[in-house]
Amino acid sequence: MRIDIVSIFPEYLDPLRLSLVGKAVDAGLVNLGVHDLRSFAHDRHRTVDDTPYGGGPGMVMSPVPWGEALDQIAGAHPGERIDGGTMTGGGVRPLLVVPTPSGERFTQSVAQQWSDEPWLVLACGRYEGIDTRVIEHYAGRSDWAGVREVSVGDYVLAGGEAAALVIVEAVVRLIPGVLGNAASVADDSFAAGSMERLLEGPVYTKPAEWRGIDVPEILMSGHHGRIAAWRAEQAHARTREHRPDLLG
Ligand code: SAM
């Protein structure tokens, strides 16, 4: 998979060189590019924003540098089989991902879908967001795979970079070969299948007793069937307590 991220704070994305995503990049499972939006501005101050039409507080990101940045990123890889050659009939088209609090909710199921995409381009907004014509334009372009505006939660961040870190990590850990033990994904909260509308229950490791608190005996019984049933029961109890909305 190829992932490109455009931001006015490219250093904000440095943590992607660490840990799981960093290892996936080193292993060649992910081809990651981070781009500075300001390098697509043409004035002395490298301006990327302007006052909003209709008035009001704050600034809006101009469509001009965004258009140049996105065209250059997409054009830099014409027809390249960046996903290892599984695409047929021409080039791979990038999917434009725009983090925004006014987008659809970014969920585990969206992360799962995107882990199969050959190419994601994330556009990190700042200020009052990106001029809406950028979304309109790339949604209509046949050389792009579409545009998805996604929110990582019902709160407002200062910029799209923290959301991009969340999205990239959630997607990359689902790419086959990234996690050492693929089975652990299936047991996760929100995992497709029996966990789709459930939170994972409590987990324990050694020692068996810590500060007067014992590990539940069932987990040391070696009885796999009873342990699975206990875990399912705990998952339901935790979901009822923390996220009753998931149970409907
Ligand atoms: N005025 C916008 C609104 O109310 O919808 C908020 C703009 S916010 C200060 C600046 C940028 O942060 C957004 O363009 C987006 O990139 C990012 N952002 C903020 N909250 C987000 C969230 N919950 N999910 C995804 N991105 C978010």
Side-chain angles (χ1 to χ4, degrees):
M1 173 190 282
R2 179 170 182 94
I3 301 177
D4 287 287
I5 308 176
V6 188
S7 161
I8 58 168
F9 294 118
E11 301 82 6
Y12 206 117
L13 286 315
D14 283 354
L16 293 175
R17 295 177 211 285
L18 306 173
S19 185
L20 190 98
V21 179
K23 282 188 189 149
V25 171
D26 291 344
L29 293 165
V30 174
N31 187 356
L32 180 72
V34 176
H35 312 267
D36 185 355
L37 180 70
R38 289 199 192 279
S39 62
F40 297 91
H42 298 294
D43 64 323
R44 208 156 50 89
H45 302 290
R46 306 206 306 157
T47 310
V48 294
D49 59 328
D50 212 325
T51 51
Y53 274 118
M59 301 293 272
V60 174
M61 292 189 111
S62 161
V64 180
W66 275 110
E68 289 192 25
L70 296 174
D71 286 352
Q72 193 187 92
I73 289 165
H77 315 278
E80 200 180 336
R81 294 188 171 195
I82 49 182
D83 68 339
T86 55
M87 299 294 287
T88 53
V92 176
R93 296 181 310 152
L95 174 69
L96 181 59
V97 174
V98 183
T100 166
S102 56
E104 61 177 302
R105 196 181 297 186
F106 177 71
T107 61
Q108 185 71 4
S109 130
V110 176
Q112 187 73 58
Q113 282 167 32
W114 291 357
S115 67
D116 273 341
E117 286 285 338
W119 191 356
L120 301 178
V121 177
L122 284 91
C124 300
R126 282 266 154 185
Y127 319 120
E128 291 305 317
I130 303 171
D131 186 306
T132 303
R133 290 171 292 179
V134 174
I135 285 101
E136 224 176 274
H137 174 80
Y138 287 95
R141 284 262 299 253
S142 61
D143 53 341
W144 284 71
V147 180
R148 294 282 291 272
E149 295 178 89
V150 286
S151 166
V152 295
D154 293 346
Y155 42 78
V156 177
L157 301 165
E161 292 76 10
L165 292 174
V166 167
I167 293 166
V168 170
E169 188 161 307
V171 169
V172 167
R173 71 186 287 281
L174 297 175
I175 296 173
V178 168
L179 280 184
N181 181 0
S184 67
V185 168
D187 293 341
D188 281 338
S189 305
F190 313 112
S194 58
M195 289 299 288
E196 200 148 351
R197 299 189 67 78
L198 285 177
L199 306 179
E200 194 179 61
V203 293
Y204 301 88
T205 186
K206 296 178 187 73
E209 188 265 359
W210 179 75
R211 299 192 179 181
I213 310 171
D214 292 327
V215 169
E217 254 190 67
I218 178 79
L219 295 178
M220 291 180 289
S221 69
H223 194 297
H224 298 306
R226 293 213 327 254
I227 291 173
W230 181 85
R231 284 186 169 145
E233 197 183 290
Q234 292 292 316
H236 277 93
R238 181 170 284 224
T239 309
R240 264 195 308 279
E241 189 183 345
H242 294 170
R243 293 289 306 277
D245 57 301
L246 291 173
L247 297 171

